[in-house]
Amino acid sequence: MAVESSAGDPRAEQRRAAAERAVELVCDGMVLGFGTGRAAGHALEALAQRMPQGLRVQGVPSSSATEARARALGLPLTTLDEHPRLDLTIDGADEVDPQRRLLKGGGGALLREKVLAAASDRLVIVVERAKLVPRLGTTRGVPVEVLPFAWAACARLIRRIGGTPVLRRGTGGTPSVTDNANWVLDCEFPGTDLLDPASLDARLRAIPGILETGLFWSFDATVVVGEPTGVRTWGPE
Ligand code: 5RP
């Protein structure tokens, strides 16, 4: 996971301040989900700073990058095998709509992130103000994790339901590979489909070969928003 310096970057400073607030929700003895991305990275750092004060927690990482960062910070790790139920997951998001529905997967960790969110009693999302959108899909397409064997067939069927899929590629032009050895299609939906993320999510996941989507519409997340004027907590306290 890239380590983000927030000095002089207002959005990064908002992310860091929100992450520090989110970590205040962590109590001694909790088993956590560790999200992926810059906001989640700030949360790991804030958590590591609380450890010398006697905080005892352990976490399940949502990606290999997060696992490496948590190890480097000395945070104890565990697995879903040992803890199939988590107390709380702290993660970032690419977009949050007015009903606190989320678009995630910009960092390619959507499948494991959704597994951790579903395993958690509570999901806490850390974002800066610019991530708040009137409707999901405002700033980017919907990430969809696909089986490499099936990607072209999935892309054809996504086009049939009105989407425009683009295979995500890394530097060098080869497909980006997720931690689960799959590929990602970023799918624009120019019509009104994203007004009903639950329905679009169901239609996408009905396509064989699609393993998960970045539409996180069913989680009653607590959203911690870094604003230019301070940090605001939105949703369940
Ligand atoms: C990774 C994600 C991230 O949470 C999302 O991309 C936000 O990342 P960042 O905090 O770096 O903006 O969903 O799959």
Side-chain angles (χ1 to χ4, degrees):
M1 180 187 291
V3 181
E4 180 180 55
S5 159
S6 58
D9 174 349
R11 281 186 65 167
E13 280 166 13
Q14 290 168 26
R15 269 194 292 274
R16 179 183 289 282
E20 286 170 358
R21 179 72 60 82
V23 164
E24 290 174 13
L25 300 170
V26 174
C27 301
D28 195 38
M30 278 188 169
V31 184
L32 303 171
F34 291 157
T36 293
R38 294 164 296 181
H42 288 307
L44 293 184
E45 285 167 18
L47 209 48
Q49 281 171 11
R50 286 186 57 191
M51 300 297 277
Q53 295 150 28
L55 181 73
R56 288 165 302 123
V57 290
Q58 45 192 329
V60 179
S62 55
S63 63
S64 53
T66 292
E67 179 177 345
R69 185 76 188 120
R71 280 191 200 287
L73 289 166
L75 293 168
L77 294 173
T78 184
T79 64
L80 285 178
D81 290 359
E82 288 167 33
H83 295 282
R85 186 193 71 77
L86 306 176
D87 294 297
L88 186 154
T89 285
I90 301 181
D91 204 346
D94 298 302
E95 294 184 345
V96 182
D97 82 359
Q99 294 173 59
R100 283 179 286 109
R101 298 177 299 197
L102 318 170
L103 188 63
K104 287 184 49 56
L110 59 152
L111 175 51
R112 294 192 192 186
E113 288 174 333
K114 205 179 267 189
V115 169
L116 294 191
S120 299
D121 289 349
R122 185 172 187 190
L123 177 62
V124 177
I125 293 292
V126 174
V127 288
E128 69 275 23
R129 188 189 172 80
K131 301 276 188 68
L132 306 185
V133 295
R135 136 179 178 186
L136 299 182
T138 299
T139 63
R140 56 160 304 122
V142 178
V144 172
E145 182 156 347
V146 292
L147 197 66
F149 169 80
W151 83 271
C154 290
R156 187 180 78 86
L157 293 173
I158 290 168
R159 278 188 216 101
R160 289 237 320 236
I161 62 168
T164 305
V166 175
L167 183 62
R168 191 180 294 183
R169 296 181 187 276
T171 46
T174 54
S176 290
V177 180
T178 71
D179 283 348
N180 316 304
N182 297 315
W183 293 353
V184 176
L185 296 171
D186 288 300
C187 306
E188 301 279 348
F189 285 90
T192 55
D193 301 88
L194 276 161
L195 289 175
D196 187 352
S199 162
L200 180 59
D201 184 44
R203 279 183 287 146
L204 286 168
R205 291 199 295 145
I207 297 173
I210 289 184
L211 303 163
E212 194 48 88
T213 83
L215 293 165
F216 285 50
W217 54 269
S218 65
F219 303 101
D220 188 19
T222 300
V223 181
V224 185
V225 188
E227 305 262 7
T229 50
V231 177
R232 170 169 67 99
T233 301
W234 176 26
E237 288 292 324

